[in-house]
């Protein structure tokens, strides 16, 4: 080796490619210098023993919200801090500007807001119904954004694109070589049902679920796929929550279409029974679904019908979530970035026996591939960023909001007993977690420009 | 590193995991010691410069015939020698015993026959209609064979299992945790058509194709899948040659069944037009198909509907192939192991622009996974066997039987202008090819016991 | 027989049930008294010789527009007169009230307007976005309307129901035991494309087709089916014009859903090539499609994927259609009720060799079944209304607008050479056509109340 | 009418076409002279009051076995007599010759054997593995046989055609414009399983079912469809007994293939639980299936996936069925022609509320269409044979073998309480049943030549 390495992670069960091998990982100058047989690596400035632990490429939370002028109570900085506590080494967050801002200004604004970020961050750009699509897409590309988010719901909040705008935006994204992301729920059906429920005085958390029926998601996903196909545009369906939605994505993929589906830990581990327990805190969209949907999502995620898992971190303080007795007045969303990796590791790898290679694929390799960060991130291989996480399968712990770091002071996973935990992590070779302790320096995270989006590596 | 490495391959475009990275590969004691950034590896006993070249894990030819008491003109040793010249580092060949031999005796016999092998070898065991399935499967497992081959055709040659036997054998293989392999053509339809053609005096090479219609393959594949599903048995369909067969495999996989499909270079690059050119030399089964089938197979292989490529090396001397003017008297098969990797590299990577990671997957990782050799083989990662091939994209050459090394003194790829070529290779760190020159020592290949079969890593 | 019959139609090739038999049809008191072997019927007041001709149950045009306060230039009376000239014996027309009218008032208004009708008529009721669905549906049912029409396009003309309203209306229709009808095109996509074209100055008839792409119909049909399935509502898709739309209906039917598809003669015989010939006269929606769509529609109609054929008679004077050079200013629609039966008979039975039983099914039995008129209409059987048409296969003629009777003074079938023609017809035993001559008395047509909708009888 | 009619059936609920209308049916000279409104028919030699009863076209049992040199204990004459007691007016029975007989001789032999038949009869011709297909098909056509039966099982009884022969026979049938019928079970799988069970001493009636698993039927049906598609041959799948088989037929039909499926009352009303009750008497093939299969068959039969119901009357005396304690020694089959119509009427129309038009379709119209007897039989329309059945819905009775008329002295429907019953019937105007009493004259039945096969009229 040329010079003494900065770091060697020794003897871990390292996910490299699709395999898990016992190996040493050597880091120098912020990148992975090599992967070698245990014991073969030279002396290094720092040596970390990972024997008996899993080593995966840095986890990426590609479904990540924070306050962008309105909505949400975490700032980019506080949200990233929470993510980093949970083993995330890169987030890809949604941004939208204030009225009148160009997309370039919006990106610059939030890049600046991430100055104190503790891990790396990239952005998706929201396209709203009144935005100049062409200008936004061009600005985005210039600033390293290649994924553009559209809403098929929330007309009353001013987010929804009608189908004609959606199709127009997709054509623009396709022409630019970008990726369209959709929140796929039929907003019109939901709004009319909400009216009916509200008029009938049915305004409780349990009522909420019934205003967003499963078929309204399935229909929207099928529609988005048809529009994307017509537009020739790669499509990423965020937070698939239903068996039918998963099937729609699977069918499209089987036809060879460039469609990628994402789900979230809350849809994998909770169901609509939680509405009674958490009340308005559990108001998220899509809503928590039936138990059968949960099973279908796990199957889809292991078969490769769904490719990624994001947190949909949408942080509000408990006070904001509980301010109104009318569920329709409650803001949407719940925190989740800090629990994303732990929940997946516990429930997928340690409880269901899925391979750590599977975990690395859905939480790191696939997000990296899909959002144009691969092979800079998403892989443990020479030359890649030294974004690394060590997971200790022997830890047992219970999720408590009090122990988490979002300003959002509750969690839907409250009380969940988890196996295993991320204990050490690095971003470009810089420490984030050490022995479970958070030791990151503010500002060590950097804005990352995304390259052209790619396809996930199926299961 | 502990001690000076035996070998460093410097600066190649290395396929590791699903990515292609510029890296050094370090080898010691026959295994891969590490993969590192270019220039970071220490001094070594031997250094090979691979800059500008592709480095992939050793290629595996898992569809490989040689003389087993009858049929074929290559011995195991000569066939392996030919394979090794073409960059193959492991073959998995088909064996069957003479009447009266136990499977254990058969395996031992052929292990012994491979004493002078220049690269590694493993076996599939044929199950014939008169074999004691339970005993053969038990013997096979004991000796490291986990894949069992059955024929759905060739009743008149004594190979065909009727459906009842096929189902019985599959149940046995399933119970043992093995993998069923089928030659899927409807033998009964073929035999009756052959009778009709023979009676009508239609005995030319072109007639031959019409006695084995595409639907006879498609039907057999669909039937094999249904039987395997009923038996709960993983299934490997060898040499898929038709669009319909590929679709049948794809549908089964989409239903979640553990079905793996293989195709061969001859079906990817030749079509039934070649019958006129090559005459009886091109009598293979399944026969060469229509141009549209070729396209469908490429699509299937890139989408992951088909997972592997084998050669179906079935070596006869030209004299044997041309002894009779009656095509039905001509033995089946053509050589191919030596051209397998070069043709795939040229036509897939260099002409169609598929990733070298794709090549590694279909020719190395997937065969290794499916036949229980992974991650010992099929991957460039610390601890794996140092089976490595360097491919030089800058070479241009023309296939000539005269330059090949099977005793089969012709090739269906005669005259094909290829781009790129394997130039260096190692099996467990021992040299096979050096700068395009064959320098392997007889006996450096070893018999490899297969572990439990696995699933391929789709595209 | 009890008393001398009023009429005997002798010796025709009579469609009764699914068969065509040579028979006499006996009529008394406005209903069919019997069907007997040729020559067995008793003397009658009138005897018509139908030997060598086809006799089918009265044709029903169930897709029929006329002026309802605005739009269209035919009145109910003039439109029915045109229909009757073409062999139609019952029309089911679309009605909508003026603002402020209850549905009951609307029905009564148009019943009165049909006082001079020459053949029978029934109604579908339009549900607009501002209508009180519950009241309209209740009123409709009370007045004998069981089919309710919704638009998925034409937001700017105030017709379009958003998905939430559509779903709400479907739930209402389902609860009432009615049938939902949809014009299925994605209006939002069309409106946005129209904007783009208009802004770009692309305002010619050929441009028009491109603003209503095939996928916008296919998507809307798939969406309507999903909403109807969720609402538990039987669904009738009017004027399916694309291969993809036909496939969507076929798939839904194969899943057992109560979905019925209709197409029109213009989609079966014309294609987008006609835009150049007819210019703005051919502005209809959905637009004329590709030649491949035509073929697919014929296949769907003979296989039973589509069940009915209606005219979509939308009568405007040539002056109205040609008033503007801007295609987007031109009103939608073309006349067609008078050519409906002749075109189907010529192109389906006489040119394509489909059975007259097929013709009777798609033009009479199926509309009667679907809209609750069966077995009062739609069948030649004792007790059914004596609605009868004699078709003479030996006539050859050419369609000329000058010979037709709508106030719409042009036809898209201008110049089409047809084989065969309706020559005699009766509604409830009263003459409409005699020897090709129109001899109906004003007022002999009656308003017909529809019963509960049923399923078509597939091919 | 020309002359006084022979018979008028007054005021019944007559199935004519797809509708049920109150009508008089007039018969003269053995054919239907007319269908008229109640009360309109003239005086006649005989008048039968059918008010409150259903009148359907004569029922056809198109799956009908009798002794053909070997097997079965009914002669053609005794089997027909039993059928006629149950309201059947035409049977289509399976014939095969003795070794050395031409098909022409075989047909002539059995025509002669039907000299005393009480209702009409037609034949299907069996094609065995050693038959000269071309000669048999030509002979059959010449004698009025257009449907040819092949077995995919029973190799050991000498009936099974291997796939090559099956494909050859289908090509011959296709070229002749005929219809291929298959008994679709995978005989090879069944034989091998039977061996395994027999060797293990598992030879009880319950064991029998497990030697003929559902997948062995499904696979064979799928295979037969593929072969028929390749041969371009219309296919009739007899006695579909499984949900999967029904789905296979439905899929093929949805693809537009000319495939017709039949089931039998025993599969619609009994399940494998009956093996314990009836023991070896219930040994039929395919065997009785699971309850879920029953439900699927009813669904398939009402949706039109299956088109016909035959009895598979396979009459043995109880002594023959109970001669051996080894279930594998017991002959296959059970009687059923006499209960066919009563069971369908009771369970389909009166208990499940299906339309009498449905009953007429599956038991009369569709068999007539498919086997080339339509519109001579299978319809109540002028000119059709006066084959008529009056069904009285008010009768309640219990099936007792003692009351039936096959020489087979037991029934699988023993003790079943049925609603309704055929009470009057005629074949070509001649009486068979009168008020539930059998009064047919021997010899009044005639051999009927079949014309070209047609497609069924789906639900």
């Amino acid at each position: 080796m040329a010079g003494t390495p900065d770091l060697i992670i020794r003897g871990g069960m390292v996910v490299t490619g699709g395999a898990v091998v016992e190996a040493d990982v050597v880091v120098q100058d912020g990148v992975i210098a090599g992967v070698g047989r245990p014991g073969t690596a030279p002396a290094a400035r720092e040596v970390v023993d990972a024997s008996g632990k899993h080593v995966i490429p840095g986890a990426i939370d590609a479904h990540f919200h924070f306050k962008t002028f309105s909505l949400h109570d975490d700032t980019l900085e506080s949200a990233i801090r929470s993510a980093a506590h949970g083993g995330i080494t890169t987030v890809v967050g949604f941004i939208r500007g204030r009225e009148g801002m160009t997309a370039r200004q919006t990106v610059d604004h939030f890049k600046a807001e991430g100055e104190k970020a503790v891990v790396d961050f990239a952005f998706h750009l929201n396209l709203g119904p009144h935005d100049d699509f062409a200008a936004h897409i061009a600005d985005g590309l210039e600033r390293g954004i290649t994924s553009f988010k559209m809403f098929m719901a929330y007309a009353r909040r001013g987010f929804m694109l009608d189908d004609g705008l959606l199709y127009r935006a997709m054509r623009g994204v396709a022409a630019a070589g970008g990726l369209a992301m959709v929140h796929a729920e039929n907003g019109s059906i939901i709004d009319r049902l909400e009216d009916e429920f509200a008029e009938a005085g049915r305004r409780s958390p349990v009522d909420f679920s019934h205003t967003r029926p499963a078929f309204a998601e399935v229909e929207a996903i099928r529609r988005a796929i048809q529009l994307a196909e017509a537009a020739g545009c790669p499509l990423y369906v965020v937070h698939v929550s239903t068996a039918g939605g998963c099937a729609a994505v699977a069918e499209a993929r089987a036809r060879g279409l460039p469609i990628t589906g994402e789900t979230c830990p809350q849809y994998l581990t909770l169901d609509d029974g939680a509405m009674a327990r958490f009340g308005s805190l559990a108001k998220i969209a899509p809503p928590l679904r039936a138990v059968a949907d949960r099973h279908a999502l796990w199957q889809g995620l292991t078969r490769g019908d769904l490719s990624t898992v994001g947190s949909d971190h949408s942080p509000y303080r408990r006070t904001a979530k509980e301010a109104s007795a009318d569920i329709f007045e409650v803001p949407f969303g719940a925190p989740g970035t800090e629990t994303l990796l732990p929940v997946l590791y516990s429930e997928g790898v340690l409880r269901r026996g899925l391979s750590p290679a599977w975990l690395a694929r859905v939480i790191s390799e696939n997000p990296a591939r899909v959002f144009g960060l691969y092979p800079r991130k998403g892989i443990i291989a020479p030359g890649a960023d030294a974004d690394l996480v060590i997971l200790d399968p022997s830890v047992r712990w219970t999720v408590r909001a009090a122990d988490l770091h979002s300003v959002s002071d509750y969690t839907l996973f409250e009380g969940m007993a988890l196996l295993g935990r991320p204990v050490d992590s690095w971003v470009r070779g810089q420490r984030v977690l050490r022995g479970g302790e958070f030791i990151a320096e503010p500002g060590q995270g950097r804005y990352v420009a995304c390259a052209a989006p790619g396809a996930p590596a199926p299961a």
Side-chain angles (χ1 to χ4, degrees), chain A:
Chain A
M1 297 253 170
T4 306
D6 298 322
L7 167 70
I8 292 178
I9 299 170
R10 277 214 196 278
M13 296 176 282
V14 178
V15 175
T16 177
V20 182
V21 297
E22 261 188 281
D24 293 350
V25 181
V26 183
V27 174
Q28 191 160 22
D29 299 329
V31 302
I32 293 169
V35 185
R37 300 194 70 193
T40 61
R45 292 201 183 80
E46 182 180 8
V47 175
V48 172
D49 179 22
S51 55
K53 299 175 187 160
H54 293 113
V55 183
I56 64 169
I60 299 171
D61 186 356
H63 195 146
F64 185 86
H65 296 281
F66 56 94
K67 186 177 188 72
T68 51
F69 302 114
S70 68
L71 302 178
H72 306 124
D73 289 338
D74 265 324
T75 60
L76 173 57
E77 191 189 322
S78 70
I80 288 181
R81 179 175 301 269
S82 177
H85 275 88
I88 302 297
T89 57
T90 301
V91 303
V92 193
F94 294 96
I95 58 170
R96 80 177 73 234
R98 255 196 305 225
E99 209 185 316
M101 285 172 74
T102 65
R104 205 173 314 181
Q105 291 169 327
T106 304
V107 180
D108 291 344
H109 174 91
F110 288 108
K111 279 174 67 172
E113 211 173 80
E115 208 169 54
K116 296 281 170 60
V118 290
V119 298
D120 286 358
F121 59 100
F123 295 137
H124 314 290
L125 185 64
N126 280 288
L127 295 183
H130 304 298
D131 288 334
D132 179 337
F133 297 157
H136 272 57
I137 294 168
D139 278 12
L141 286 182
E142 194 188 287
R143 287 293 193 265
I145 295 183
T146 56
S147 47
F148 300 88
K149 169 80 174 291
M150 300 103 171
F151 284 92
M152 300 173 77
Y154 300 120
R156 291 163 184 182
R157 284 163 192 80
F159 298 167
M160 184 169 115
L161 271 59
D162 64 39
D163 290 349
L165 289 179
L166 191 58
Y167 177 55
R168 185 183 292 170
M170 284 175 171
R171 283 177 289 149
V173 171
L179 175 72
M181 305 174 77
V182 288
H183 174 131
E185 287 190 289
N186 187 312
S188 166
I189 286 176
I190 288 166
D191 286 349
R192 298 291 181 182
L193 287 174
E194 187 175 316
D195 289 349
E196 294 178 19
F197 276 65
E199 278 165 35
R202 300 176 56 186
R203 299 166 180 270
S204 78
V206 167
D207 295 323
F208 168 74
S209 295
H210 295 115
T211 62
R212 305 185 89 95
F215 87 88
E217 170 176 303
V218 181
E219 186 284 319
I221 292 177
R222 292 196 177 278
R223 180 156 36 104
I225 290 169
Q226 289 176 79
L227 268 56
E229 184 176 10
C233 188
L235 179 69
Y236 183 93
V237 184
V238 303
H239 54 44
V240 175
S241 67
T242 57
C246 184
V249 171
E251 286 168 28
R253 290 172 59 81
R255 285 201 293 130
L257 296 176
I259 310 293
T260 304
E262 169 201 275
T263 190
C264 309
Q266 47 274 37
Y267 303 115
L268 290 165
T269 60
L270 303 173
D271 54 68
D272 50 15
M275 295 309 294
R277 187 148 53 101
F278 287 105
S280 61
L281 295 178
K283 180 182 176 184
I284 59 176
L288 295 173
R289 302 291 189 184
V291 172
D293 289 302
R294 269 210 278 138
H295 295 319
L297 294 174
W298 275 109
Q299 186 184 42
L301 199 54
T302 50
R303 283 174 49 168
D305 299 333
L306 302 176
S307 305
T308 61
V309 183
S311 73
D312 197 4
H313 184 70
S314 302
Y316 286 98
R317 288 199 178 78
R318 179 184 276 269
T319 49
K321 294 288 288 188
E322 297 184 334
S324 172
D326 178 351
I327 191 69
F328 301 120
E329 298 294 322
V330 174
F332 289 92
T337 192
E338 193 166 344
T339 43
L340 168 60
L341 177 60
V343 169
L344 268 192
Y345 181 53
S346 170
E347 303 308 294
V349 176
L350 299 180
R351 285 225 167 80
R352 287 174 188 257
L354 297 171
S355 166
W358 166 87
L359 177 65
R361 195 163 55 235
V362 300
I363 197 65
S364 183
E365 178 180 351
N366 280 345
R369 285 182 180 271
V370 170
F371 296 109
L373 299 171
Y374 188 86
R376 177 168 166 191
K377 298 185 180 292
I379 184 170
I380 297 179
D385 280 356
D387 294 1
L388 293 159
V389 186
I390 301 180
L391 298 150
D392 183 347
S394 70
V395 180
R396 275 143 206 278
W397 60 296
T398 298
V399 180
R400 300 285 173 213
D403 301 331
L404 303 179
H405 303 82
S406 167
V407 304
S408 185
D409 47 355
Y410 74 97
T411 170
L412 299 181
F413 305 99
E414 184 74 31
M416 187 177 283
L418 296 186
L419 306 181
R421 191 162 193 175
V423 287
D424 294 274
S425 66
W426 295 261
V427 61
R428 285 173 290 95
Q430 294 167 282
R431 272 284 188 179
V432 181
L433 296 180
R434 182 169 61 197
E437 195 185 351
F438 179 81
I439 61 162
E441 292 294 323
Q444 74 184 26
R446 290 193 200 145
Y447 175 69
V448 187
C450 295

